[in-house]
Amino acid sequence: MPFTFNRPRLTVSTGFLLVGALVALAILYWEIEGTGDTNLLFPILAACAGLLYESWRITRNRRHVAWTLLAATYLSLPFSVPHDRGDFEAPPSLVVFASLLFGFYCVVFAVINYKRILPKRSEGQAWLLSLCYLYWLLELWQSGISFPVWLALAGTGIIPLTISGFHAFLPLPLTQWVRTWLSIWCVFVILALGIDNGTYVLSSLWDWTTPHPLDFTTRMLAFFLLGMSAIYVAHNLMQIMEMLSLDKLGTRKEKRQIRRRHILNFSVRQIPAWQSALCLAYAGILFGLNFYFAVLPRITMIWLVIVSFPPVLGLVVPPRPEAPSPTPDRQPRRLDRSNRPERSIRFPRIRS
């Protein structure tokens, strides 16, 4: 059989994507060529790589990720005006363009995929975030933070840490009150760690002169984890804005739907105690080694534990067996309406 070559078809959407990619590359080349400093290109590419990877992992659609990047590029173009460079060590215009592109991408992706990003929280996730928050408090105490600020952060986490610890090891029922407060606790921890991560990464951006390969690797890892976590931080900010706007909404139906969405977001399934012990051992070993030897910055180690523990747990816990799919020739089973309950659990019927 002779070798044949199939010519790829160029659609309108593919053409727009190619044009947008060329525009973005031209802007980056113009910004970098005007300054002669290419050091900032590496951390920006690392953050964008983490952002695009997490977007693809959520959607599993490369075209959707490319369209979102194109929309963010065009939205950031009007604000990317050239700045006076002067004696700055870093090009401000490149930083402004990258920051706007990063922020617009997170906002556009979070708005379009609001329900898809929404993670199913559980008591296991609350326990992992509680351990990360506890280690974060210890590192803040060692770094010499002001005592009133540290005391306020520690006082905020006393009750949620206790609740999540008891529910992680004891078969206590996950009531509606517990699920609501643990869900709020997860949102608070993600925002606190996200703000600390952004502050550290941006502060280390301006002194990007690291000839040592190990320091370069750790900083690139920090920027990559920043890109992965930025989507969830933006989504949690949207959740907080949605909860704060409950009083301004007009109908009771919208308020009830928002509250129900946040309550049902927390799973009622309890995890075994040995998984909570494994999480405690995994996080305790990595956090303890980093606390004494200072291998990575505190926020980089925290996000590394958050990202790496689910795959580690997946290696230990066997996957659930999938339910057998019905055969095509099997007749659909008819519902027995005689044994149907008088009222539904979701929508109760009130008889007069």
Side-chain angles (χ1 to χ4, degrees):
M1 183 176 180
F3 176 76
T4 58
F5 176 76
N6 296 325
R7 183 180 179 183
R9 294 181 300 175
L10 183 62
T11 60
V12 178
S13 60
T14 308
F16 274 110
L17 289 178
L18 292 176
V19 171
L22 291 177
V23 170
L25 290 176
I27 293 175
L28 285 177
Y29 174 77
W30 175 73
E31 297 288 352
I32 297 171
E33 193 271 337
T35 56
D37 190 0
T38 59
N39 291 330
L40 287 180
L41 183 62
F42 295 104
I44 291 174
L45 291 180
C48 292
L51 188 67
L52 296 179
Y53 170 75
E54 191 64 21
S55 304
W56 173 82
R57 197 184 66 84
I58 294 172
T59 60
R60 298 292 178 176
N61 191 340
R62 292 174 294 180
R63 187 176 296 273
H64 179 75
V65 174
W67 274 108
T68 308
L69 180 61
L70 179 62
T73 303
Y74 284 138
L75 286 175
S76 58
L77 282 178
F79 302 96
S80 300
V81 295
H83 292 255
D84 294 332
R85 293 175 174 84
D87 296 330
F88 285 102
E89 297 180 359
S93 53
L94 177 60
V95 175
V96 170
F97 175 74
S99 302
L100 290 173
L101 179 64
F102 198 81
F104 278 123
Y105 184 92
C106 292
V107 172
V108 172
F109 188 84
V111 170
I112 296 177
N113 304 275
Y114 183 79
K115 295 183 179 180
R116 189 177 296 178
I117 303 175
L118 192 63
K120 190 67 175 180
R121 298 189 178 95
S122 61
E123 62 179 10
Q125 183 184 6
W127 174 237
L128 176 61
L129 291 178
S130 299
L131 294 176
C132 295
Y133 189 81
L134 183 61
Y135 170 71
W136 185 59
L137 289 177
L138 294 177
E139 287 284 357
L140 287 180
W141 175 263
Q142 191 183 25
S143 63
I145 193 174
S146 62
F147 182 74
V149 177
W150 185 88
L151 187 62
L153 294 174
T156 305
I158 289 178
I159 297 179
L161 283 171
T162 306
I163 295 176
S164 62
F166 275 110
H167 279 271
F169 290 96
L170 299 178
L172 301 176
L174 291 169
T175 61
Q176 180 177 344
W177 182 85
V178 173
R179 284 182 292 156
T180 303
W181 283 104
L182 286 183
S183 181
I184 296 175
W185 169 244
C186 292
V187 173
F188 172 75
V189 174
I190 289 295
L191 287 180
L193 298 179
I195 293 173
D196 191 17
N197 192 17
T199 304
Y200 164 74
V201 169
L202 292 179
S203 62
S204 63
L205 183 64
W206 295 102
D207 55 346
W208 189 264
T209 54
T210 55
H212 198 275
L214 182 60
D215 194 9
F216 177 80
T217 304
T218 55
R219 291 195 179 189
M220 291 290 286
L221 178 62
F223 276 91
F224 184 81
L225 294 175
L226 175 66
M228 293 184 63
S229 61
I231 296 178
Y232 298 103
V233 173
H235 185 268
N236 287 336
L237 286 174
M238 293 177 60
Q239 281 187 316
I240 292 179
M241 294 175 61
E242 187 181 38
M243 292 297 294
L244 293 177
S245 62
L246 280 176
D247 298 333
K248 300 180 181 180
L249 296 176
T251 62
R252 295 182 178 179
K253 182 179 179 181
E254 295 178 350
K255 298 179 182 180
R256 184 169 59 251
Q257 288 178 352
I258 293 175
R259 292 193 182 98
R260 182 177 177 84
R261 187 188 307 130
H262 287 275
I263 293 173
L264 294 180
N265 186 33
F266 202 94
S267 175
V268 296
R269 183 174 177 266
Q270 296 179 339
I271 61 174
W274 68 269
Q275 293 186 11
S276 302
L278 178 63
C279 179
L280 177 61
Y282 181 80
I285 291 174
L286 291 183
F287 288 156
L289 293 175
N290 194 68
F291 184 80
Y292 285 104
F293 297 103
V295 180
L296 295 175
R298 63 171 185 267
I299 197 62
T300 305
M301 177 57 70
I302 288 174
W303 281 106
L304 185 62
V305 170
I306 293 175
V307 172
S308 62
F309 179 71
V312 171
L313 184 62
L315 295 176
V316 179
V317 180
R320 298 182 184 178
E322 298 182 358
S325 57
T327 56
D329 55 347
R330 182 178 297 178
Q331 297 293 333
R333 185 174 58 182
R334 296 183 179 180
L335 297 177
D336 188 5
R337 299 183 181 274
S338 60
N339 297 329
R340 189 177 60 181
E342 294 184 358
R343 62 179 183 177
S344 175
I345 297 177
R346 292 187 176 180
F347 305 100
R349 294 180 181 178
I350 303 176
R351 295 183 178 180
S352 59

